[in-house]
Amino acid sequence: MPFDLSKIAARQRTVEIDGVGPVVFREPTLADYTRSQVDPYWWGSCISCPDGSPFVASNADLGAVRADVAGRLLEEVNRPRPTEPAPAGSGESPARSNA
């Protein structure tokens, strides 16, 4: 039986960006990173409006966005999204002390 990919599929979240408003960011996928070899604005595919529409008509349009705003958007696309911590008592050993 194949692995259930929904367990490891890219997640999304809405973030308020100063000067822009609420924006939905999807975690980059392997396909996104592969496309980055030929498309410097690949990360635009990871951004959408809250209503589900694309953030820009064409990812190349991101080249006209002010550098400070583009930097905040790209930073959010690439922001680490740690997984939920394991519940207490999950078998994790406490760190040993040298004292």
Side-chain angles (χ1 to χ4, degrees):
M1 173 181 242
F3 184 79
D4 180 5
L5 291 179
S6 68
K7 295 179 181 181
I8 56 173
R11 299 167 290 182
Q12 56 183 354
R13 66 181 176 172
T14 302
V15 177
E16 184 81 23
I17 301 293
D18 290 338
V20 177
V23 182
V24 179
F25 291 89
R26 174 183 52 79
E27 293 174 310
T29 63
L30 181 58
D32 292 318
Y33 287 129
T34 301
R35 193 171 56 255
S36 72
Q37 301 292 321
V38 295
D39 179 8
Y41 304 110
W42 64 270
W43 48 276
S45 299
C46 299
I47 307 171
S48 60
C49 296
D51 67 1
S53 62
F55 183 67
V56 291
S58 168
N59 288 349
D61 292 344
L62 291 169
V65 173
R66 281 191 346 241
D68 62 319
V69 174
R72 287 194 302 262
L73 295 170
L74 185 54
E75 179 182 342
E76 193 59 45
V77 167
N78 288 313
R79 181 175 307 283
R81 293 172 176 87
T83 57
E84 294 294 319
S90 65
E92 183 177 331
S93 300
R96 292 186 179 188
S97 166
N98 288 337

Short mmCIF file of all heavy atoms in Angstrom, two decimals, residues 60-84:
data_model
loop_
_atom_site.label_atom_id
_atom_site.label_comp_id
_atom_site.label_asym_id
_atom_site.label_seq_id
_atom_site.Cartn_x
_atom_site.Cartn_y
_atom_site.Cartn_z
N ALA A 60 6.93 36.43 -12.84
CA ALA A 60 7.92 37.41 -13.29
C ALA A 60 7.56 38.82 -12.82
O ALA A 60 8.44 39.68 -12.69
CB ALA A 60 8.05 37.38 -14.81
N ASP A 61 6.28 39.07 -12.52
CA ASP A 61 5.86 40.38 -12.01
C ASP A 61 6.52 40.69 -10.66
O ASP A 61 6.62 41.85 -10.27
CB ASP A 61 4.34 40.44 -11.84
CG ASP A 61 3.60 40.41 -13.17
OD1 ASP A 61 4.24 40.64 -14.22
OD2 ASP A 61 2.38 40.14 -13.14
N LEU A 62 6.98 39.67 -9.96
CA LEU A 62 7.64 39.90 -8.67
C LEU A 62 8.94 40.67 -8.84
O LEU A 62 9.41 41.29 -7.90
CB LEU A 62 7.90 38.56 -7.97
CG LEU A 62 6.64 37.85 -7.48
CD1 LEU A 62 6.96 36.43 -7.05
CD2 LEU A 62 5.98 38.62 -6.35
N GLY A 63 9.49 40.69 -10.04
CA GLY A 63 10.71 41.44 -10.30
C GLY A 63 10.49 42.94 -10.19
O GLY A 63 11.46 43.70 -10.01
N ALA A 64 9.25 43.40 -10.25
CA ALA A 64 8.94 44.83 -10.15
C ALA A 64 8.57 45.25 -8.73
O ALA A 64 8.35 46.43 -8.48
CB ALA A 64 7.80 45.17 -11.11
N VAL A 65 8.52 44.31 -7.81
CA VAL A 65 8.16 44.61 -6.42
C VAL A 65 9.37 45.20 -5.72
O VAL A 65 10.51 44.78 -5.95
CB VAL A 65 7.69 43.31 -5.71
CG1 VAL A 65 7.47 43.54 -4.23
CG2 VAL A 65 6.43 42.78 -6.37
N ARG A 66 9.13 46.21 -4.86
CA ARG A 66 10.23 46.79 -4.08
C ARG A 66 11.02 45.71 -3.38
O ARG A 66 10.46 44.73 -2.88
CB ARG A 66 9.68 47.74 -3.01
CG ARG A 66 9.29 49.08 -3.52
CD ARG A 66 9.01 50.08 -2.39
NE ARG A 66 8.84 49.53 -1.06
CZ ARG A 66 7.72 49.65 -0.34
NH1 ARG A 66 6.67 50.28 -0.81
NH2 ARG A 66 7.65 49.14 0.87
N ALA A 67 12.32 45.88 -3.33
CA ALA A 67 13.20 44.86 -2.78
C ALA A 67 12.88 44.54 -1.33
O ALA A 67 12.95 43.37 -0.93
CB ALA A 67 14.66 45.30 -2.92
N ASP A 68 12.51 45.54 -0.51
CA ASP A 68 12.22 45.25 0.90
C ASP A 68 10.97 44.38 1.04
O ASP A 68 10.94 43.47 1.86
CB ASP A 68 12.11 46.54 1.71
CG ASP A 68 10.98 47.45 1.26
OD1 ASP A 68 10.77 47.60 0.03
OD2 ASP A 68 10.30 48.02 2.14
N VAL A 69 9.96 44.65 0.22
CA VAL A 69 8.73 43.85 0.28
C VAL A 69 9.00 42.44 -0.28
O VAL A 69 8.61 41.44 0.32
CB VAL A 69 7.59 44.53 -0.51
CG1 VAL A 69 6.36 43.64 -0.57
CG2 VAL A 69 7.25 45.88 0.13
N ALA A 70 9.70 42.36 -1.40
CA ALA A 70 10.04 41.06 -1.98
C ALA A 70 10.85 40.23 -0.99
O ALA A 70 10.64 39.02 -0.86
CB ALA A 70 10.80 41.24 -3.29
N GLY A 71 11.75 40.89 -0.28
CA GLY A 71 12.55 40.19 0.72
C GLY A 71 11.70 39.60 1.83
O GLY A 71 11.93 38.47 2.27
N ARG A 72 10.69 40.36 2.28
CA ARG A 72 9.80 39.85 3.33
C ARG A 72 8.98 38.66 2.82
O ARG A 72 8.76 37.68 3.53
CB ARG A 72 8.88 40.94 3.85
CG ARG A 72 9.61 41.96 4.72
CD ARG A 72 8.64 42.84 5.49
NE ARG A 72 7.72 43.57 4.65
CZ ARG A 72 7.87 44.85 4.27
NH1 ARG A 72 8.92 45.53 4.67
NH2 ARG A 72 6.98 45.43 3.51
N LEU A 73 8.52 38.76 1.57
CA LEU A 73 7.74 37.66 0.99
C LEU A 73 8.60 36.41 0.85
O LEU A 73 8.20 35.31 1.25
CB LEU A 73 7.18 38.06 -0.38
CG LEU A 73 6.16 39.20 -0.39
CD1 LEU A 73 5.89 39.65 -1.82
CD2 LEU A 73 4.87 38.77 0.30
N LEU A 74 9.80 36.57 0.29
CA LEU A 74 10.69 35.42 0.10
C LEU A 74 11.11 34.83 1.44
O LEU A 74 11.20 33.61 1.59
CB LEU A 74 11.91 35.83 -0.72
CG LEU A 74 12.88 34.72 -1.10
CD1 LEU A 74 12.17 33.58 -1.81
CD2 LEU A 74 13.99 35.28 -1.96
N GLU A 75 11.34 35.69 2.42
CA GLU A 75 11.69 35.21 3.76
C GLU A 75 10.59 34.33 4.32
O GLU A 75 10.85 33.29 4.93
CB GLU A 75 11.95 36.39 4.68
CG GLU A 75 12.31 36.01 6.09
CD GLU A 75 12.51 37.24 6.98
OE1 GLU A 75 12.69 38.35 6.48
OE2 GLU A 75 12.46 37.05 8.21
N GLU A 76 9.35 34.74 4.11
CA GLU A 76 8.22 33.95 4.63
C GLU A 76 8.09 32.63 3.88
O GLU A 76 7.78 31.60 4.48
CB GLU A 76 6.93 34.77 4.54
CG GLU A 76 5.79 34.18 5.33
CD GLU A 76 6.08 34.04 6.81
OE1 GLU A 76 6.60 34.97 7.43
OE2 GLU A 76 5.77 32.96 7.36
N VAL A 77 8.32 32.65 2.57
CA VAL A 77 8.28 31.40 1.80
C VAL A 77 9.30 30.41 2.36
O VAL A 77 9.03 29.22 2.53
CB VAL A 77 8.55 31.65 0.30
CG1 VAL A 77 8.82 30.35 -0.45
CG2 VAL A 77 7.38 32.38 -0.35
N ASN A 78 10.49 30.89 2.67
CA ASN A 78 11.58 30.03 3.12
C ASN A 78 11.66 29.85 4.64
O ASN A 78 12.55 29.17 5.13
CB ASN A 78 12.92 30.58 2.63
CG ASN A 78 13.07 30.37 1.15
OD1 ASN A 78 12.81 29.29 0.63
ND2 ASN A 78 13.48 31.41 0.45
N ARG A 79 10.72 30.44 5.38
CA ARG A 79 10.75 30.35 6.85
C ARG A 79 10.59 28.90 7.29
O ARG A 79 9.71 28.19 6.82
CB ARG A 79 9.62 31.17 7.46
CG ARG A 79 9.60 31.14 8.99
CD ARG A 79 8.54 32.05 9.57
NE ARG A 79 8.61 33.42 9.08
CZ ARG A 79 9.51 34.34 9.48
NH1 ARG A 79 10.42 34.00 10.37
NH2 ARG A 79 9.48 35.55 9.00
N PRO A 80 11.48 28.46 8.17
CA PRO A 80 11.33 27.09 8.71
C PRO A 80 10.01 26.98 9.46
O PRO A 80 9.62 27.88 10.19
CB PRO A 80 12.51 26.93 9.67
CG PRO A 80 13.46 28.03 9.33
CD PRO A 80 12.64 29.14 8.73
N ARG A 81 9.35 25.91 9.26
CA ARG A 81 8.09 25.65 9.95
C ARG A 81 8.26 24.36 10.74
O ARG A 81 8.01 23.28 10.21
CB ARG A 81 6.95 25.55 8.96
CG ARG A 81 6.66 26.86 8.26
CD ARG A 81 5.65 26.65 7.15
NE ARG A 81 5.28 27.89 6.54
CZ ARG A 81 5.94 28.46 5.54
NH1 ARG A 81 7.01 27.88 5.05
NH2 ARG A 81 5.54 29.59 5.02
N PRO A 82 8.72 24.49 11.97
CA PRO A 82 8.99 23.27 12.74
C PRO A 82 7.72 22.47 12.96
O PRO A 82 6.62 23.02 13.00
CB PRO A 82 9.54 23.79 14.06
CG PRO A 82 9.19 25.22 14.11
CD PRO A 82 8.96 25.69 12.71
N THR A 83 7.90 21.19 13.07
CA THR A 83 6.76 20.32 13.33
C THR A 83 6.31 20.50 14.78
O THR A 83 7.03 21.05 15.60
CB THR A 83 7.13 18.84 13.09
OG1 THR A 83 8.25 18.53 13.93
CG2 THR A 83 7.48 18.60 11.64
N GLU A 84 5.15 20.02 15.07
CA GLU A 84 4.64 20.11 16.44
C GLU A 84 5.56 19.32 17.36
O GLU A 84 6.02 18.24 17.01
CB GLU A 84 3.22 19.52 16.50
CG GLU A 84 2.20 20.32 15.73
CD GLU A 84 1.97 21.70 16.31
OE1 GLU A 84 1.90 21.82 17.55
OE2 GLU A 84 1.88 22.65 15.53
#
